[in-house]
């Protein structure tokens, strides 16, 4: 059967999104057929404006409406503490917790030689002028605990360990809150033993 | 942290889609930040055109570019056979198999008293003029094998059984291809025994 072009076009657009297969794309498209045209128009406008109305912060490479971003320009944040993250999305995850009061530095990915991503493709070297300013006293490396994330963390550690006054740390590894030892994998368990803390 | 309005708007639009939670919506939005503006514009255009460029077939209530739809206007299809479905999406699923050569009738949902959906809200009574024409000799009721789907099938059966020459059937129930008896639920197994066929 020939599917209506308007439907096929939208299904194809949805299919390009991460984690969306053909079935989900079809389901979302047919769902939108029941939605008022007004809502479709506001959805469509959000898509067009997404990149037009956002900027990349020239300090931390976060995505925001302003440059510098609200975090870098917030006088109440501790500018001496930098948390190093893979993507802007990770900032949202940390900010939700309200426990971190320093600033960020977004790498824009991880070193991944298999996909031709080297340190030059990331914002790794953009970190150095920030450290050289001498105003930074702590660096928390919070790349993901994956192979690529660990390798990137190692690469950065080698790059920055020459700054003697800089306290460098890696986020803690172990069991997530609410987990059961029974179902944890051996690597997570071994990391939780390595990272044990005295009472 | 205040998230950029352009990002928040798009996340909210994605969140309204079926099966999309806040995390997936965020992931899709941040993914789209790396996509060329051209692609965002074509995505946005597909959304606006979705309802503008589609029609509901006045015969079978399928969604298509033309009225009647390509299936109803195809001279090679057997107009004497009607397959009754819940939604237009189900037509795609059946058409993919290329085994059915009749036409369809889309109900637009199922009878669901808890959500205030009675037979009047569906295209159930629109089926009767088609049957009265006398040109229909077979009706295959292919609503989903859920409680609501079965109840709707029963309701329709009672409505159409007065047409004595009409062969009425319900799609077969049992184990799906590739399944293992070991993991099947008792209801599916009991239906597969009820629906057993002699060699």
């Amino acid at each position: 059967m020939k599917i209506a072009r308007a439907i096929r076009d939208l299904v194809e657009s949805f299919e390009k999104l991460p984690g969306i297969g053909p079935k989900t794309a079809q389901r979302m498209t047919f769902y939108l057929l029941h939605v008022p045209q007004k809502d479709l128009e506001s959805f469509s406008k959000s898509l067009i404006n997404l990149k037009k109305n956002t900027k990349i912060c020239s300090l931390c490479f976060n995505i925001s409406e302003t440059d510098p971003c609200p975090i870098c320009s917030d006088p109440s944040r501790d500018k001496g503490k930098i948390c190093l993250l893979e993507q802007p999305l990770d900032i949202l995850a940390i900010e939700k917790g309200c426990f971190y009061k320093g600033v960020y530095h977004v790498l824009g990915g991880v070193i991944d030689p298999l996909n031709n991503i080297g340190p030059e493709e990331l914002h790794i070297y953009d970190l150095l002028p920030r450290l050289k300013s001498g105003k930074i006293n702590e660096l928390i490396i919070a790349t993901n605990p994956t192979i690529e994330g660990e390798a990137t963390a190692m690469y950065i550690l080698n790059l920055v360990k020459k700054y003697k006054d800089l306290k460098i740390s890696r986020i803690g590894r172990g069991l997530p809150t609410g987990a059961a030892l029974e179902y944890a994998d051996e690597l997570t368990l071994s990391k939780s033993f390595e990272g044990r803390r005295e009472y």
Side-chain angles (χ1 to χ4, degrees), chain A residues 3 6 8-10 15 24-25 48 76 80 86 98-99 103 105-106 115-116 122 128 131 138 149 153 159 176-177:
Chain A
I3 304 173
R8 211 174 51 225
D9 284 351
L10 189 57
E15 272 183 49
T24 317
I48 290 202
S76 73
E86 289 182 19
C98 297
F99 54 83
V103 291
H105 187 90
V106 176
N115 289 311
N116 282 322
L122 307 171
L128 300 182
L131 297 181
E138 188 171 357
L159 211 64
T177 308

Side-chain angles (χ1 to χ4, degrees), chain A residues 109-122 148:
Chain A
V110 275
I111 299 173
D112 187 0
L114 292 177
N115 289 311
N116 282 322
I117 297 172
E120 300 77 24
E121 271 74 47
L122 307 171
E148 292 83 7

Side-chain angles (χ1 to χ4, degrees), chain A residues 13-21 24 28 89:
Chain A
S13 291
F14 276 130
E15 272 183 49
K16 285 180 195 152
L17 295 172
I20 304 297
T24 317
M28 297 200 293
L89 204 48

Side-chain angles (χ1 to χ4, degrees), chain A residues 31-48:
Chain A
Y31 168 84
L32 288 175
L33 281 165
H34 298 283
V35 154
Q37 184 67 20
K38 193 173 59 65
D39 290 9
L40 290 179
E41 269 158 26
S42 86
F43 191 167
S44 145
K45 224 170 82 186
S46 318
L47 276 168
I48 290 202

Side-chain angles (χ1 to χ4, degrees), chain A residues 32-167:
Chain A
L32 288 175
L33 281 165
H34 298 283
V35 154
Q37 184 67 20
K38 193 173 59 65
D39 290 9
L40 290 179
E41 269 158 26
S42 86
F43 191 167
S44 145
K45 224 170 82 186
S46 318
L47 276 168
I48 290 202
N49 290 337
L50 177 67
K51 283 173 63 159
K52 282 187 188 158
N53 295 351
T54 47
K55 284 178 184 146
I56 291 176
C57 172
S58 53
L59 271 171
C60 72
F61 303 96
N62 181 16
I63 286 161
S64 80
E65 279 163 16
T66 50
D67 177 18
C69 75
I71 296 178
C72 288
S73 55
D74 182 347
S76 73
R77 310 280 308 211
D78 178 358
K79 304 286 189 306
K81 217 185 240 182
I82 291 185
C83 172
L84 211 59
L85 295 169
E86 289 182 19
Q87 355 156 24
L89 204 48
D90 298 334
I91 295 188
L92 296 189
I94 293 180
E95 285 296 296
K96 227 165 72 185
C98 297
F99 54 83
Y100 178 69
K101 290 291 165 218
V103 291
Y104 296 96
H105 187 90
V106 176
L107 295 173
V110 275
I111 299 173
D112 187 0
L114 292 177
N115 289 311
N116 282 322
I117 297 172
E120 300 77 24
E121 271 74 47
L122 307 171
H123 299 300
I124 291 184
Y125 294 109
D126 297 304
L127 179 66
L128 300 182
R130 296 184 78 179
L131 297 181
K132 265 179 207 146
S133 74
K135 288 175 197 151
I136 312 295
N137 47 49
E138 188 171 357
L139 183 68
I140 302 164
I141 305 180
T143 52
N144 287 331
T146 55
I147 295 179
E148 292 83 7
E150 289 296 351
T152 309
M154 273 301 131
Y155 183 89
I156 293 167
L157 179 66
N158 282 326
L159 211 64
V160 299
K161 65 183 173 193
K162 62 183 174 194
Y163 298 98
K164 295 292 169 212
D165 295 337
L166 189 66
K167 203 169 123 193

